[in-house]
Amino acid sequence: MSGTGTHTAGPGTGFEAKLSREQLWRVAMVQAEYARCIDADELERWPDFFAEQCFYTVTTAVNHREGLAAGLIWADTKGMINDRVSALREANIYERHSYRHVLGQPLPSAGQPGDPPDQPRTETSFLVVRIMRDGSTDVFASGRYLDRWTLADGPPKLAERVVVCDSSRIDTLLALPL
Amino acid sequence: MTTTAPQQPPLPELPGWPDGLTRVPYWIFQRDDVYAAEQQRLFRGPHWNYLCLEAELAEPGQFRTSWLGDTPVIVSRGRDGELYAFENRCAHRGALIALEDRGCAMEFTCVYHAWTYSVEGELTGVAFKDGINGKGGMPESFRMAEHWPRKLRLAVLHGLVFGSFDNDVPDLEEYFGEEITDRIERVLGGRTPVVLGRFTQMLPNNWKLYVENVKDSYHASILHLFFTTFELNKLNMRGGIIVSPGGGHHVSYSAIDRSGSDPSAENRGYADQKIRSESGYRLADPSLLDGFDECGDDTTLQILSTFPAFVLQQIQNSVAVRQILPRGPGRTELNWTLLGFEEDTPEQRRVRLKQANLVGSAGYISMEDGCVGGFVQRGVAGAADQAAVLRMGGESAESSESRVTEASVRGFWQAYLAAMGMRSDVSA
């Protein structure tokens, strides 16, 4: 990458977290790997995308707008994220299926009060198609990833990922993570 | 509990139903004519169906839309502080009056021809009623008071709002009976619920397959392997099943047994049945289950259902109501409302958010319920003339100390057959 331009979260937000072009590119690459990890059924690697101190939840646009705290999935430790994977592998019963994630570009977004100054936020659209064992393929979820990243060492890691699904409806079940 | 009201049209011609309560013919999950009869006799008939929480209608003018089966309704807090409910259907040409799920309004205006309704459900205005320049308009004989949306009867129990179109339905507490009422009070009594989240799960199956699943304590530890795989049932549990006298309502509960009995006995039972192996798996973060005694009685699980289609759950500290809405013979909308209470400490609230992982469409112990009804719906596709077998725990629909029973499922069918008027020998 040449150029040293930075991307900030829109004019007048007052928050300093900035992403250099290179950082933004690295975030986009990590997101692509994240999607591929889930879509390729390599869930054991999924927790590695999160920082040691992390938060992950899947909620709906209505609940998010109303500030309702509960999620379809809600994990405030990396251990809970690991437990999702082991439960899916060892305990939960569901019909075999897979996802195909299609992601938009990460857009730098405004920080929130209390954010560590070195942890910028991005927002990324997603569309997830679910492919069932019998071949039937449906749009399963669309929405936004609201992310906060640690960029200090090595590849960017998710300190926070709030998955906001546009619809309040889930068809049948949500087994694999989004 | 109920008899077929005389004004109801006769049932369609249906195949026979085997004697007793131990066989359920699969055609009952498949037919459009059964679906239509259920809408009429169960959801618009003399039964109480859950609509919403009173906490969602705290202030005058607050409303939310809901359903009695297929029928859209508006539930509101009137200017006098009372609750009102009426069909969400303009008395003019039938359009929906309110389009939002929730809101606050002193007046509703139908978008089609701007007929207006008060928040209490009375027709208050008809656009151009007197015409323009003496021409057009409604005839002299038109009376607005003769054109109100149908009103519902309402009853509130510990913050749960139930509605019925039928004036002959017994009072709510009588309809539930004392045991069920007490068990609702146990979870909700004296507390102020706070909505923590709302989620809708679309199930690929007939609504009665989901009701059967809720009432089926036999499947719980077999299909749902989360607790057993991670060996989370360390303590022996005592518990039981309550089936209401008419069969339609049920409670399944379990509690920590502090009597000192051998906790390995139950584990051996599972191993004998080859239902699970000694897995050795452990949760990386067992704080998921670091709960508190929800109601001060050591009861860690209480699943309560009322006829025809409502569930109140307490699974450890995950408290939720589930509204079951039929959406055609092979499709069901399941509306989850996850609850906390105003009295919660921040730590307790955090526990509830963690334990919400147990339930709902992504729930560790309920995601399977989202798909298993679909497995039945697909499995019975060519078997309208065949029947399920419900003989676990005998042939009756009575309360029991054992949860290895299908008594409450048989109870549901007892109440169902009576309410539908399908078998003259079955009463509820």
Side-chain angles (χ1 to χ4, degrees):
Chain A
M1 299 289 289
S2 61
T4 54
T6 56
H7 295 258
T8 55
T13 55
F15 290 93
E16 291 305 311
K18 291 177 181 173
L19 285 152
S20 68
R21 279 189 197 180
E22 189 192 339
Q23 285 171 328
L24 201 52
W25 182 77
R26 285 165 65 207
V27 163
M29 287 301 104
V30 165
Q31 304 220 80
E33 285 179 32
Y34 175 105
R36 191 172 195 287
C37 163
I38 295 171
D39 296 353
D41 190 26
E42 295 169 3
L43 291 184
E44 283 70 15
R45 292 200 300 118
W46 176 59
D48 297 339
F49 291 93
F50 292 87
E52 287 311 305
Q53 302 287 320
C54 59
F55 177 73
Y56 173 80
T57 189
V58 179
T59 186
T60 71
V62 174
N63 286 341
H64 187 254
R65 191 164 58 236
E66 294 186 8
L68 302 182
L72 288 161
I73 301 175
W74 194 96
D76 67 348
T77 65
K78 199 163 179 174
M80 288 184 77
I81 290 171
N82 273 299
D83 288 336
R84 268 282 153 187
V85 177
S86 43
L88 288 173
R89 293 297 197 217
E90 307 299 337
N92 287 125
I93 293 166
Y94 50 92
E95 203 166 13
R96 185 159 50 81
H97 63 277
S98 62
Y99 290 162
R100 181 64 57 199
H101 281 71
V102 181
L103 303 185
Q105 295 293 324
L107 177 71
S109 54
Q112 292 175 12
D115 280 359
D118 57 348
Q119 295 189 0
R121 286 178 177 269
T122 60
E123 173 181 329
T124 308
S125 296
F126 66 84
L127 181 71
V128 173
V129 172
R130 184 171 64 183
I131 304 96
M132 298 305 294
R133 183 184 52 80
D134 67 358
S136 59
T137 301
D138 294 291
V139 173
F140 178 63
S142 66
R144 300 181 293 160
Y145 292 134
L146 306 184
D147 298 329
R148 182 161 52 84
W149 299 91
T150 64
L151 301 172
D153 331 292
K157 300 269 187 187
L158 286 161
E160 182 180 313
R161 167 156 280 188
V162 177
V163 183
V164 182
C165 296
D166 293 325
S167 170
S168 298
R169 290 186 172 189
I170 292 289
D171 178 70
T172 309
L173 52 75
L174 173 72
L176 309 176
L178 290 170
Chain B
M1 185 165 66
T2 156
T3 53
T4 307
Q7 73 273 18
Q8 282 181 334
L11 275 178
E13 195 164 319
L14 297 169
W17 193 291
D19 288 342
L21 297 171
T22 61
R23 303 304 299 267
V24 178
Y26 293 131
W27 56 259
I28 199 69
F29 303 115
Q30 299 170 327
R31 296 173 62 109
D32 289 328
D33 53 4
V34 168
Y35 182 87
E38 288 168 347
Q39 288 297 319
Q40 182 183 82
R41 291 171 187 236
L42 305 184
F43 296 97
R44 295 195 297 275
H47 303 282
W48 288 108
N49 280 279
Y50 171 78
L51 295 173
C52 64
L53 295 167
E54 194 176 18
E56 295 174 295
L57 304 166
E59 302 296 325
Q62 277 192 312
F63 73 91
R64 60 157 293 170
T65 51
S66 187
W67 294 267
L68 271 186
D70 282 343
T71 311
V73 301
I74 297 171
V75 193
S76 63
R77 175 79 65 184
R79 285 163 290 190
D80 57 358
E82 299 292 316
L83 289 181
Y84 293 83
F86 46 97
E87 259 185 303
N88 188 4
R89 174 179 63 81
C90 182
H92 177 214
R93 299 267 288 275
L96 291 170
I97 297 169
L99 299 173
E100 295 296 328
D101 295 338
R102 284 175 299 284
C104 194
M106 288 306 162
E107 192 175 76
F108 299 103
T109 303
C110 175
V111 296
Y112 200 174
H113 302 91
W115 286 32
T116 54
Y117 298 88
S118 68
V119 72
E120 296 87 10
E122 297 169 2
L123 179 62
T124 52
V126 169
F128 303 119
K129 181 159 85 61
D130 302 320
I132 296 174
N133 297 331
K135 292 177 181 161
M138 285 288 187
E140 282 291 317
S141 59
F142 179 80
R143 298 280 174 275
M144 288 205 294
E146 293 168 5
H147 298 275
W148 290 356
R150 272 191 299 178
K151 293 205 172 198
L152 278 68
R153 248 182 95 185
L154 281 180
V156 181
L157 184 63
H158 300 300
L160 305 174
V161 181
F162 291 83
S164 177
F165 277 124
D166 194 292
N167 284 323
D168 298 328
V169 62
D171 287 343
L172 189 63
E173 292 189 35
E174 183 189 338
Y175 178 85
F176 288 155
E178 193 178 342
E179 279 181 303
I180 302 297
T181 304
D182 286 353
R183 287 284 178 156
I184 293 173
E185 180 173 20
R186 182 188 156 269
V187 178
L188 300 176
R191 305 206 277 182
T192 313
V194 177
V195 174
L196 300 183
R198 297 184 185 88
F199 301 99
T200 296
Q201 188 175 9
M202 298 306 294
L203 305 175
N205 53 265
N206 187 274
W207 68 278
K208 301 185 292 298
L209 289 170
Y210 185 75
V211 172
E212 281 194 316
N213 174 279
V214 165
K215 290 174 182 275
D216 172 9
S217 49
Y218 172 34
H219 87 283
S221 60
I222 302 172
L223 177 65
H224 306 309
L225 293 175
F226 180 76
F227 280 111
T228 48
T229 299
F230 293 100
E231 297 182 23
L232 297 168
N233 276 323
K234 291 208 176 71
L235 292 165
N236 206 4
M237 306 299 274
R238 62 187 163 81
I241 300 283
I242 300 168
V243 184
S244 68
H249 320 302
H250 107 289
V251 177
S252 171
Y253 65 95
S254 59
I256 297 165
D257 188 351
R258 300 189 189 276
S259 66
S261 58
D262 175 12
S264 62
E266 188 173 338
N267 292 343
R268 277 202 303 275
Y270 283 101
D272 292 347
Q273 298 295 319
K274 297 187 169 55
I275 287 167
R276 66 169 165 140
S277 55
E278 296 301 317
S279 66
Y281 291 109
R282 295 289 182 274
L283 288 178
D285 184 353
S287 71
L288 176 71
L289 298 166
D290 288 345
F292 52 95
D293 192 354
E294 181 71 47
C295 303
D297 57 5
D298 277 347
T299 296
T300 53
L301 176 134
Q302 177 183 299
I303 306 293
L304 180 151
S305 69
T306 70
F307 190 81
F310 168 73
V311 181
L312 168 66
Q313 76 164 53
Q314 175 225 337
I315 299 173
Q316 306 217 358
N317 303 114
S318 169
V319 178
V321 295
R322 310 179 202 162
Q323 180 189 35
I324 303 165
L325 296 172
R327 288 288 181 253
R331 199 162 159 80
T332 301
E333 177 176 331
L334 181 60
N335 289 320
W336 297 80
T337 306
L338 274 54
L339 300 180
F341 297 93
E342 277 185 6
E343 297 79 7
D344 288 345
T345 64
E347 292 74 24
Q348 288 174 329
R349 186 61 60 83
R350 191 178 189 79
V351 167
R352 295 194 195 285
L353 297 177
K354 282 191 188 248
Q355 295 191 353
N357 283 291
L358 298 171
V359 304
S361 10
Y364 284 135
I365 57 169
S366 56
M367 79 167 72
E368 286 101 3
D369 297 324
C371 61
V372 77
F375 298 164
V376 178
Q377 195 80 31
R378 281 148 60 191
V380 304
D385 58 341
Q386 302 292 305
V389 182
L390 290 177
R391 296 188 62 183
M392 268 286 159
E395 304 193 337
S396 66
E398 291 166 356
S399 300
S400 120
E401 280 184 20
S402 169
R403 280 165 291 155
V404 189
T405 177
E406 290 165 324
S408 43
V409 185
R410 288 188 290 272
F412 171 74
W413 290 110
Q414 177 189 345
Y416 178 89
L417 289 167
M420 293 289 284
M422 278 184 176
R423 258 190 31 201
S424 55
D425 64 316
V426 177
S427 59

